[in-house]
């Protein structure tokens, strides 16, 4: 697996992804966001788009992470998030944030070292953050479960409900490396 930073906002490159194989494919055509990808044998298998916070120049937001449909569940998304996070910190950002709208993304981002902030967006996404000072190498179990609890009262698929039942008393997932 190779990871590559394609560019930073506001002058990020356009990235054309097959909409039948990648969720959010249309979001990667915008040139105002930075992009990074994961490749196997030169083929893009995952992508992330990101931009600076509008009100805080020390914070970078990961906006969309997508993994090719036939490669989901292999841990590529969390590793790409960690790769992008590390590049942002090297560039001088103090915080990297992402908003997630499903339990699978929530778990994946915890694996990448992000922790639930206790905040949500106006569209019910949970905000997770990594910062060198507070970014957990082993996320707090209480905060991890607080985030899972945010999903429990939602209209979820059977797969999501099963996922939540399996993690009711579980420790947070172990962090991954890139």
């Amino acid at each position: 697996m190779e990871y590559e930073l394609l560019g930073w906002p506001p002058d990020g490159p356009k990235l054309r992804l097959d909409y039948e194989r990648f969720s959010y494919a249309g979001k990667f055509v915008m040139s105002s966001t930075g992009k990074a990808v994961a490749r196997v044998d030169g083929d893009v298998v995952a992508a992330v788009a990101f931009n600076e916070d509008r009100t805080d120049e020390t914070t970078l937001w990961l906006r969309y992470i997508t993994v090719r449909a036939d490669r989901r569940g292999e841990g590529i998304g969390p590793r790409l998030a960690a790769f992008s996070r590390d590049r942002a910190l090297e560039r001088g950002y103090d915080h990297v944030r992402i908003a997630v709208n499903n339990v699978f993304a929530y778990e994946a981002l915890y694996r990448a070292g992000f922790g639930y902030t206790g905040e949500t967006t106006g569209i019910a996404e949970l905000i997770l953050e990594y910062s060198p000072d507070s970014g957990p190498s082993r996320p707090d179990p209480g905060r991890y479960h607080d985030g899972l609890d945010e999903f429990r009262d939602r209209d979820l698929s059977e797969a999501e409900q099963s996922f939540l039942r399996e993690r009711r008393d579980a420790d947070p997932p172990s962090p991954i490396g890139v």
Side-chain angles (χ1 to χ4, degrees):
M1 187 80 50
E2 296 176 10
Y3 300 92
E4 179 182 3
L5 179 73
L6 301 179
W8 291 98
D11 302 317
K14 292 182 180 183
L15 181 61
R16 299 206 184 278
L17 300 172
D18 180 350
Y19 72 91
E20 292 179 344
R21 299 173 80 191
F22 290 93
S23 300
Y24 309 114
K27 301 295 185 183
F28 290 86
V29 179
M30 298 183 309
S31 62
S32 61
T33 59
K35 317 272 186 327
V37 297
R39 296 180 194 268
V40 173
D41 297 326
D43 292 330
V44 173
V45 295
V48 58
F50 46 85
N51 65 292
E52 192 171 283
D53 188 281
R54 291 181 191 100
T55 61
D56 179 3
E57 64 187 24
T58 68
T59 299
L60 187 79
W61 281 87
L62 303 182
R63 293 296 179 186
Y64 300 97
I65 298 176
T66 186
V67 177
R68 200 172 71 194
D70 64 328
R71 300 301 300 258
R72 292 181 188 146
E74 297 178 26
I76 298 168
R79 287 193 301 273
L80 180 59
F83 170 83
S84 302
R85 173 204 69 209
D86 291 348
R87 300 300 76 75
L89 296 173
E90 288 169 1
R91 190 166 173 94
Y93 290 100
D94 294 330
H95 310 277
V96 181
R97 292 185 133 199
I98 186 167
V100 299
N101 62 7
N102 69 76
V103 296
F104 305 118
Y106 181 82
E107 184 89 354
L109 271 296
Y110 251 85
R111 290 184 65 214
F114 288 75
Y116 178 47
T117 64
E119 301 171 75
T120 59
T121 67
I123 55 174
E125 296 170 317
L126 278 62
I127 299 174
L128 286 81
E129 179 177 88
Y130 182 94
S131 67
D133 298 331
S134 64
S137 60
R138 181 87 175 137
D140 173 47
R143 182 60 87 182
Y144 169 73
H145 285 285
D146 289 346
L148 290 178
D149 288 345
E150 289 283 334
F151 288 106
R152 292 189 194 283
D153 292 330
R154 297 182 181 185
D155 184 23
L156 303 174
S157 69
E158 179 52 41
E160 291 170 308
Q161 291 173 22
S162 176
F163 186 89
L164 287 173
R165 283 191 298 273
E166 291 170 6
R167 282 156 182 77
R168 183 161 300 278
D169 296 315
D171 287 334
S174 297
I176 50 94
V178 177

PDB file of all heavy atoms in Angstrom, residues 112-144:
ATOM      1  N   ALA A 112      -7.691   5.267  14.023  1.00  0.00           N
ATOM      2  CA  ALA A 112      -6.686   6.199  13.514  1.00  0.00           C
ATOM      3  C   ALA A 112      -6.218   7.185  14.588  1.00  0.00           C
ATOM      4  O   ALA A 112      -5.462   8.100  14.300  1.00  0.00           O
ATOM      5  CB  ALA A 112      -7.235   6.954  12.307  1.00  0.00           C
ATOM      6  N   GLY A 113      -6.684   7.005  15.833  1.00  0.00           N
ATOM      7  CA  GLY A 113      -6.225   7.844  16.933  1.00  0.00           C
ATOM      8  C   GLY A 113      -7.076   9.064  17.224  1.00  0.00           C
ATOM      9  O   GLY A 113      -6.718   9.885  18.061  1.00  0.00           O
ATOM     10  N   PHE A 114      -8.208   9.203  16.562  1.00  0.00           N
ATOM     11  CA  PHE A 114      -9.108  10.326  16.808  1.00  0.00           C
ATOM     12  C   PHE A 114     -10.017   9.975  17.981  1.00  0.00           C
ATOM     13  O   PHE A 114     -10.382   8.821  18.160  1.00  0.00           O
ATOM     14  CB  PHE A 114      -9.964  10.617  15.570  1.00  0.00           C
ATOM     15  CG  PHE A 114      -9.193  11.230  14.438  1.00  0.00           C
ATOM     16  CD1 PHE A 114      -8.340  10.457  13.656  1.00  0.00           C
ATOM     17  CD2 PHE A 114      -9.320  12.579  14.137  1.00  0.00           C
ATOM     18  CE1 PHE A 114      -7.622  11.013  12.611  1.00  0.00           C
ATOM     19  CE2 PHE A 114      -8.602  13.145  13.093  1.00  0.00           C
ATOM     20  CZ  PHE A 114      -7.752  12.363  12.326  1.00  0.00           C
ATOM     21  N   GLY A 115     -10.394  10.976  18.753  1.00  0.00           N
ATOM     22  CA  GLY A 115     -11.292  10.771  19.879  1.00  0.00           C
ATOM     23  C   GLY A 115     -12.516  11.666  19.773  1.00  0.00           C
ATOM     24  O   GLY A 115     -12.447  12.777  19.235  1.00  0.00           O
ATOM     25  N   TYR A 116     -13.615  11.178  20.304  1.00  0.00           N
ATOM     26  CA  TYR A 116     -14.877  11.926  20.299  1.00  0.00           C
ATOM     27  C   TYR A 116     -14.743  13.157  21.194  1.00  0.00           C
ATOM     28  O   TYR A 116     -14.300  13.071  22.332  1.00  0.00           O
ATOM     29  CB  TYR A 116     -15.998  11.015  20.777  1.00  0.00           C
ATOM     30  CG  TYR A 116     -17.361  11.663  20.865  1.00  0.00           C
ATOM     31  CD1 TYR A 116     -17.861  12.440  19.825  1.00  0.00           C
ATOM     32  CD2 TYR A 116     -18.154  11.482  21.975  1.00  0.00           C
ATOM     33  CE1 TYR A 116     -19.113  13.023  19.902  1.00  0.00           C
ATOM     34  CE2 TYR A 116     -19.417  12.052  22.067  1.00  0.00           C
ATOM     35  CZ  TYR A 116     -19.888  12.825  21.031  1.00  0.00           C
ATOM     36  OH  TYR A 116     -21.129  13.393  21.115  1.00  0.00           O
ATOM     37  N   THR A 117     -15.148  14.306  20.673  1.00  0.00           N
ATOM     38  CA  THR A 117     -15.043  15.573  21.410  1.00  0.00           C
ATOM     39  C   THR A 117     -16.247  15.850  22.298  1.00  0.00           C
ATOM     40  O   THR A 117     -16.210  16.769  23.121  1.00  0.00           O
ATOM     41  CB  THR A 117     -14.912  16.759  20.429  1.00  0.00           C
ATOM     42  OG1 THR A 117     -16.119  16.844  19.657  1.00  0.00           O
ATOM     43  CG2 THR A 117     -13.699  16.604  19.540  1.00  0.00           C
ATOM     44  N   GLY A 118     -17.328  15.107  22.102  1.00  0.00           N
ATOM     45  CA  GLY A 118     -18.573  15.406  22.804  1.00  0.00           C
ATOM     46  C   GLY A 118     -19.447  16.369  22.021  1.00  0.00           C
ATOM     47  O   GLY A 118     -20.551  16.699  22.443  1.00  0.00           O
ATOM     48  N   GLU A 119     -18.959  16.804  20.870  1.00  0.00           N
ATOM     49  CA  GLU A 119     -19.688  17.756  20.032  1.00  0.00           C
ATOM     50  C   GLU A 119     -20.303  17.040  18.830  1.00  0.00           C
ATOM     51  O   GLU A 119     -19.792  16.022  18.369  1.00  0.00           O
ATOM     52  CB  GLU A 119     -18.744  18.829  19.495  1.00  0.00           C
ATOM     53  CG  GLU A 119     -18.037  19.634  20.559  1.00  0.00           C
ATOM     54  CD  GLU A 119     -16.966  20.507  19.939  1.00  0.00           C
ATOM     55  OE1 GLU A 119     -17.323  21.532  19.318  1.00  0.00           O
ATOM     56  OE2 GLU A 119     -15.785  20.151  20.061  1.00  0.00           O
ATOM     57  N   THR A 120     -21.382  17.635  18.330  1.00  0.00           N
ATOM     58  CA  THR A 120     -21.988  17.172  17.086  1.00  0.00           C
ATOM     59  C   THR A 120     -22.170  18.376  16.163  1.00  0.00           C
ATOM     60  O   THR A 120     -22.178  19.517  16.610  1.00  0.00           O
ATOM     61  CB  THR A 120     -23.352  16.496  17.313  1.00  0.00           C
ATOM     62  OG1 THR A 120     -24.231  17.423  17.942  1.00  0.00           O
ATOM     63  CG2 THR A 120     -23.214  15.241  18.173  1.00  0.00           C
ATOM     64  N   THR A 121     -22.329  18.083  14.887  1.00  0.00           N
ATOM     65  CA  THR A 121     -22.617  19.145  13.927  1.00  0.00           C
ATOM     66  C   THR A 121     -24.119  19.381  13.905  1.00  0.00           C
ATOM     67  O   THR A 121     -24.882  18.641  14.517  1.00  0.00           O
ATOM     68  CB  THR A 121     -22.158  18.749  12.509  1.00  0.00           C
ATOM     69  OG1 THR A 121     -22.979  17.669  12.055  1.00  0.00           O
ATOM     70  CG2 THR A 121     -20.693  18.356  12.473  1.00  0.00           C
ATOM     71  N   GLY A 122     -24.541  20.364  13.153  1.00  0.00           N
ATOM     72  CA  GLY A 122     -25.962  20.647  13.010  1.00  0.00           C
ATOM     73  C   GLY A 122     -26.723  19.557  12.271  1.00  0.00           C
ATOM     74  O   GLY A 122     -27.946  19.537  12.287  1.00  0.00           O
ATOM     75  N   ILE A 123     -26.007  18.652  11.646  1.00  0.00           N
ATOM     76  CA  ILE A 123     -26.675  17.555  10.920  1.00  0.00           C
ATOM     77  C   ILE A 123     -26.378  16.210  11.582  1.00  0.00           C
ATOM     78  O   ILE A 123     -26.339  15.173  10.926  1.00  0.00           O
ATOM     79  CB  ILE A 123     -26.303  17.548   9.420  1.00  0.00           C
ATOM     80  CG1 ILE A 123     -24.790  17.503   9.223  1.00  0.00           C
ATOM     81  CG2 ILE A 123     -26.913  18.739   8.710  1.00  0.00           C
ATOM     82  CD1 ILE A 123     -24.367  17.354   7.765  1.00  0.00           C
ATOM     83  N   ALA A 124     -26.195  16.244  12.903  1.00  0.00           N
ATOM     84  CA  ALA A 124     -26.073  15.052  13.740  1.00  0.00           C
ATOM     85  C   ALA A 124     -24.836  14.207  13.476  1.00  0.00           C
ATOM     86  O   ALA A 124     -24.829  13.020  13.762  1.00  0.00           O
ATOM     87  CB  ALA A 124     -27.344  14.208  13.636  1.00  0.00           C
ATOM     88  N   GLU A 125     -23.786  14.803  12.948  1.00  0.00           N
ATOM     89  CA  GLU A 125     -22.530  14.086  12.821  1.00  0.00           C
ATOM     90  C   GLU A 125     -21.744  14.276  14.118  1.00  0.00           C
ATOM     91  O   GLU A 125     -21.806  15.349  14.724  1.00  0.00           O
ATOM     92  CB  GLU A 125     -21.706  14.640  11.659  1.00  0.00           C
ATOM     93  CG  GLU A 125     -22.351  14.450  10.314  1.00  0.00           C
ATOM     94  CD  GLU A 125     -21.624  15.229   9.228  1.00  0.00           C
ATOM     95  OE1 GLU A 125     -21.256  16.397   9.463  1.00  0.00           O
ATOM     96  OE2 GLU A 125     -21.427  14.653   8.147  1.00  0.00           O
ATOM     97  N   LEU A 126     -21.033  13.257  14.539  1.00  0.00           N
ATOM     98  CA  LEU A 126     -20.194  13.357  15.719  1.00  0.00           C
ATOM     99  C   LEU A 126     -18.823  13.887  15.318  1.00  0.00           C
ATOM    100  O   LEU A 126     -18.271  13.462  14.295  1.00  0.00           O
ATOM    101  CB  LEU A 126     -20.023  11.985  16.377  1.00  0.00           C
ATOM    102  CG  LEU A 126     -21.158  11.527  17.297  1.00  0.00           C
ATOM    103  CD1 LEU A 126     -22.458  11.383  16.555  1.00  0.00           C
ATOM    104  CD2 LEU A 126     -20.777  10.243  17.976  1.00  0.00           C
ATOM    105  N   ILE A 127     -18.293  14.812  16.104  1.00  0.00           N
ATOM    106  CA  ILE A 127     -16.996  15.407  15.793  1.00  0.00           C
ATOM    107  C   ILE A 127     -15.911  14.672  16.581  1.00  0.00           C
ATOM    108  O   ILE A 127     -15.982  14.567  17.810  1.00  0.00           O
ATOM    109  CB  ILE A 127     -16.983  16.911  16.111  1.00  0.00           C
ATOM    110  CG1 ILE A 127     -18.034  17.631  15.254  1.00  0.00           C
ATOM    111  CG2 ILE A 127     -15.587  17.493  15.896  1.00  0.00           C
ATOM    112  CD1 ILE A 127     -18.222  19.098  15.577  1.00  0.00           C
ATOM    113  N   LEU A 128     -14.923  14.206  15.850  1.00  0.00           N
ATOM    114  CA  LEU A 128     -13.754  13.564  16.438  1.00  0.00           C
ATOM    115  C   LEU A 128     -12.543  14.430  16.147  1.00  0.00           C
ATOM    116  O   LEU A 128     -12.507  15.132  15.132  1.00  0.00           O
ATOM    117  CB  LEU A 128     -13.550  12.164  15.847  1.00  0.00           C
ATOM    118  CG  LEU A 128     -14.542  11.099  16.336  1.00  0.00           C
ATOM    119  CD1 LEU A 128     -15.847  11.203  15.587  1.00  0.00           C
ATOM    120  CD2 LEU A 128     -13.950   9.723  16.146  1.00  0.00           C
ATOM    121  N   GLU A 129     -11.549  14.359  17.039  1.00  0.00           N
ATOM    122  CA  GLU A 129     -10.377  15.213  16.895  1.00  0.00           C
ATOM    123  C   GLU A 129      -9.108  14.467  17.283  1.00  0.00           C
ATOM    124  O   GLU A 129      -9.120  13.613  18.168  1.00  0.00           O
ATOM    125  CB  GLU A 129     -10.518  16.448  17.777  1.00  0.00           C
ATOM    126  CG  GLU A 129      -9.321  17.383  17.704  1.00  0.00           C
ATOM    127  CD  GLU A 129      -9.516  18.635  18.531  1.00  0.00           C
ATOM    128  OE1 GLU A 129      -9.175  18.602  19.734  1.00  0.00           O
ATOM    129  OE2 GLU A 129     -10.027  19.630  17.988  1.00  0.00           O
ATOM    130  N   TYR A 130      -8.041  14.856  16.622  1.00  0.00           N
ATOM    131  CA  TYR A 130      -6.694  14.434  17.005  1.00  0.00           C
ATOM    132  C   TYR A 130      -5.852  15.692  17.149  1.00  0.00           C
ATOM    133  O   TYR A 130      -5.890  16.572  16.287  1.00  0.00           O
ATOM    134  CB  TYR A 130      -6.053  13.531  15.949  1.00  0.00           C
ATOM    135  CG  TYR A 130      -4.683  13.058  16.370  1.00  0.00           C
ATOM    136  CD1 TYR A 130      -4.534  11.850  17.017  1.00  0.00           C
ATOM    137  CD2 TYR A 130      -3.561  13.849  16.174  1.00  0.00           C
ATOM    138  CE1 TYR A 130      -3.291  11.422  17.452  1.00  0.00           C
ATOM    139  CE2 TYR A 130      -2.310  13.438  16.612  1.00  0.00           C
ATOM    140  CZ  TYR A 130      -2.178  12.227  17.244  1.00  0.00           C
ATOM    141  OH  TYR A 130      -0.948  11.817  17.674  1.00  0.00           O
ATOM    142  N   SER A 131      -5.123  15.781  18.238  1.00  0.00           N
ATOM    143  CA  SER A 131      -4.118  16.830  18.391  1.00  0.00           C
ATOM    144  C   SER A 131      -2.939  16.199  19.110  1.00  0.00           C
ATOM    145  O   SER A 131      -3.118  15.264  19.891  1.00  0.00           O
ATOM    146  CB  SER A 131      -4.660  18.039  19.144  1.00  0.00           C
ATOM    147  OG  SER A 131      -4.932  17.701  20.477  1.00  0.00           O
ATOM    148  N   PRO A 132      -1.727  16.670  18.859  1.00  0.00           N
ATOM    149  CA  PRO A 132      -0.561  16.054  19.491  1.00  0.00           C
ATOM    150  C   PRO A 132      -0.652  16.035  21.016  1.00  0.00           C
ATOM    151  O   PRO A 132      -0.193  15.102  21.647  1.00  0.00           O
ATOM    152  CB  PRO A 132       0.605  16.918  19.030  1.00  0.00           C
ATOM    153  CG  PRO A 132       0.133  17.593  17.807  1.00  0.00           C
ATOM    154  CD  PRO A 132      -1.345  17.761  17.968  1.00  0.00           C
ATOM    155  N   ASP A 133      -1.260  17.069  21.604  1.00  0.00           N
ATOM    156  CA  ASP A 133      -1.349  17.143  23.060  1.00  0.00           C
ATOM    157  C   ASP A 133      -2.426  16.236  23.635  1.00  0.00           C
ATOM    158  O   ASP A 133      -2.225  15.608  24.656  1.00  0.00           O
ATOM    159  CB  ASP A 133      -1.628  18.580  23.501  1.00  0.00           C
ATOM    160  CG  ASP A 133      -0.512  19.521  23.095  1.00  0.00           C
ATOM    161  OD1 ASP A 133       0.639  19.069  22.992  1.00  0.00           O
ATOM    162  OD2 ASP A 133      -0.802  20.703  22.866  1.00  0.00           O
ATOM    163  N   SER A 134      -3.569  16.174  22.960  1.00  0.00           N
ATOM    164  CA  SER A 134      -4.682  15.398  23.512  1.00  0.00           C
ATOM    165  C   SER A 134      -5.035  14.192  22.664  1.00  0.00           C
ATOM    166  O   SER A 134      -5.857  13.386  23.064  1.00  0.00           O
ATOM    167  CB  SER A 134      -5.915  16.284  23.657  1.00  0.00           C
ATOM    168  OG  SER A 134      -6.346  16.731  22.384  1.00  0.00           O
ATOM    169  N   GLY A 135      -4.431  14.071  21.500  1.00  0.00           N
ATOM    170  CA  GLY A 135      -4.736  12.939  20.632  1.00  0.00           C
ATOM    171  C   GLY A 135      -4.356  11.642  21.300  1.00  0.00           C
ATOM    172  O   GLY A 135      -3.210  11.399  21.627  1.00  0.00           O
ATOM    173  N   PRO A 136      -5.340  10.805  21.562  1.00  0.00           N
ATOM    174  CA  PRO A 136      -5.069   9.617  22.354  1.00  0.00           C
ATOM    175  C   PRO A 136      -4.361   8.530  21.550  1.00  0.00           C
ATOM    176  O   PRO A 136      -4.700   8.261  20.414  1.00  0.00           O
ATOM    177  CB  PRO A 136      -6.470   9.142  22.752  1.00  0.00           C
ATOM    178  CG  PRO A 136      -7.362   9.661  21.674  1.00  0.00           C
ATOM    179  CD  PRO A 136      -6.727  10.942  21.178  1.00  0.00           C
ATOM    180  N   SER A 137      -3.344   7.937  22.150  1.00  0.00           N
ATOM    181  CA  SER A 137      -2.770   6.743  21.540  1.00  0.00           C
ATOM    182  C   SER A 137      -3.628   5.548  21.954  1.00  0.00           C
ATOM    183  O   SER A 137      -3.675   4.547  21.275  1.00  0.00           O
ATOM    184  CB  SER A 137      -1.322   6.548  21.968  1.00  0.00           C
ATOM    185  OG  SER A 137      -1.256   6.418  23.372  1.00  0.00           O
ATOM    186  N   ARG A 138      -4.322   5.689  23.062  1.00  0.00           N
ATOM    187  CA  ARG A 138      -5.306   4.709  23.519  1.00  0.00           C
ATOM    188  C   ARG A 138      -6.508   5.512  23.981  1.00  0.00           C
ATOM    189  O   ARG A 138      -6.538   6.026  25.094  1.00  0.00           O
ATOM    190  CB  ARG A 138      -4.731   3.872  24.654  1.00  0.00           C
ATOM    191  CG  ARG A 138      -5.683   2.833  25.168  1.00  0.00           C
ATOM    192  CD  ARG A 138      -5.562   1.553  24.356  1.00  0.00           C
ATOM    193  NE  ARG A 138      -6.392   0.527  24.942  1.00  0.00           N
ATOM    194  CZ  ARG A 138      -7.137  -0.275  24.217  1.00  0.00           C
ATOM    195  NH1 ARG A 138      -7.146  -0.167  22.914  1.00  0.00           N
ATOM    196  NH2 ARG A 138      -7.863  -1.189  24.779  1.00  0.00           N
ATOM    197  N   PRO A 139      -7.517   5.677  23.130  1.00  0.00           N
ATOM    198  CA  PRO A 139      -8.660   6.539  23.462  1.00  0.00           C
ATOM    199  C   PRO A 139      -9.356   6.141  24.761  1.00  0.00           C
ATOM    200  O   PRO A 139      -9.405   4.971  25.125  1.00  0.00           O
ATOM    201  CB  PRO A 139      -9.592   6.356  22.270  1.00  0.00           C
ATOM    202  CG  PRO A 139      -8.689   5.947  21.151  1.00  0.00           C
ATOM    203  CD  PRO A 139      -7.618   5.118  21.801  1.00  0.00           C
ATOM    204  N   ASP A 140      -9.869   7.146  25.451  1.00  0.00           N
ATOM    205  CA  ASP A 140     -10.580   6.964  26.707  1.00  0.00           C
ATOM    206  C   ASP A 140     -11.835   6.119  26.488  1.00  0.00           C
ATOM    207  O   ASP A 140     -12.699   6.484  25.686  1.00  0.00           O
ATOM    208  CB  ASP A 140     -10.955   8.344  27.254  1.00  0.00           C
ATOM    209  CG  ASP A 140     -11.846   8.261  28.468  1.00  0.00           C
ATOM    210  OD1 ASP A 140     -11.548   7.476  29.371  1.00  0.00           O
ATOM    211  OD2 ASP A 140     -12.854   9.001  28.499  1.00  0.00           O
ATOM    212  N   PRO A 141     -11.969   4.990  27.213  1.00  0.00           N
ATOM    213  CA  PRO A 141     -13.144   4.125  27.023  1.00  0.00           C
ATOM    214  C   PRO A 141     -14.464   4.836  27.288  1.00  0.00           C
ATOM    215  O   PRO A 141     -15.444   4.615  26.585  1.00  0.00           O
ATOM    216  CB  PRO A 141     -12.924   2.992  28.023  1.00  0.00           C
ATOM    217  CG  PRO A 141     -11.464   2.977  28.283  1.00  0.00           C
ATOM    218  CD  PRO A 141     -11.020   4.412  28.147  1.00  0.00           C
ATOM    219  N   GLY A 142     -14.497   5.714  28.302  1.00  0.00           N
ATOM    220  CA  GLY A 142     -15.744   6.426  28.603  1.00  0.00           C
ATOM    221  C   GLY A 142     -16.167   7.325  27.457  1.00  0.00           C
ATOM    222  O   GLY A 142     -17.336   7.319  27.041  1.00  0.00           O
ATOM    223  N   ARG A 143     -15.236   8.077  26.916  1.00  0.00           N
ATOM    224  CA  ARG A 143     -15.543   8.981  25.807  1.00  0.00           C
ATOM    225  C   ARG A 143     -15.906   8.172  24.561  1.00  0.00           C
ATOM    226  O   ARG A 143     -16.798   8.541  23.814  1.00  0.00           O
ATOM    227  CB  ARG A 143     -14.347   9.896  25.550  1.00  0.00           C
ATOM    228  CG  ARG A 143     -14.563  10.893  24.461  1.00  0.00           C
ATOM    229  CD  ARG A 143     -15.705  11.827  24.738  1.00  0.00           C
ATOM    230  NE  ARG A 143     -15.228  12.952  25.502  1.00  0.00           N
ATOM    231  CZ  ARG A 143     -16.004  13.918  25.929  1.00  0.00           C
ATOM    232  NH1 ARG A 143     -17.280  13.925  25.672  1.00  0.00           N
ATOM    233  NH2 ARG A 143     -15.511  14.908  26.618  1.00  0.00           N
ATOM    234  N   TYR A 144     -15.212   7.068  24.339  1.00  0.00           N
ATOM    235  CA  TYR A 144     -15.519   6.186  23.212  1.00  0.00           C
ATOM    236  C   TYR A 144     -16.973   5.724  23.291  1.00  0.00           C
ATOM    237  O   TYR A 144     -17.715   5.800  22.312  1.00  0.00           O
ATOM    238  CB  TYR A 144     -14.558   4.989  23.243  1.00  0.00           C
ATOM    239  CG  TYR A 144     -14.916   3.858  22.305  1.00  0.00           C
ATOM    240  CD1 TYR A 144     -14.735   3.985  20.936  1.00  0.00           C
ATOM    241  CD2 TYR A 144     -15.389   2.655  22.796  1.00  0.00           C
ATOM    242  CE1 TYR A 144     -15.040   2.937  20.066  1.00  0.00           C
ATOM    243  CE2 TYR A 144     -15.686   1.607  21.956  1.00  0.00           C
ATOM    244  CZ  TYR A 144     -15.519   1.745  20.591  1.00  0.00           C
ATOM    245  OH  TYR A 144     -15.815   0.711  19.743  1.00  0.00           O
TER     246      TYR A 144
END
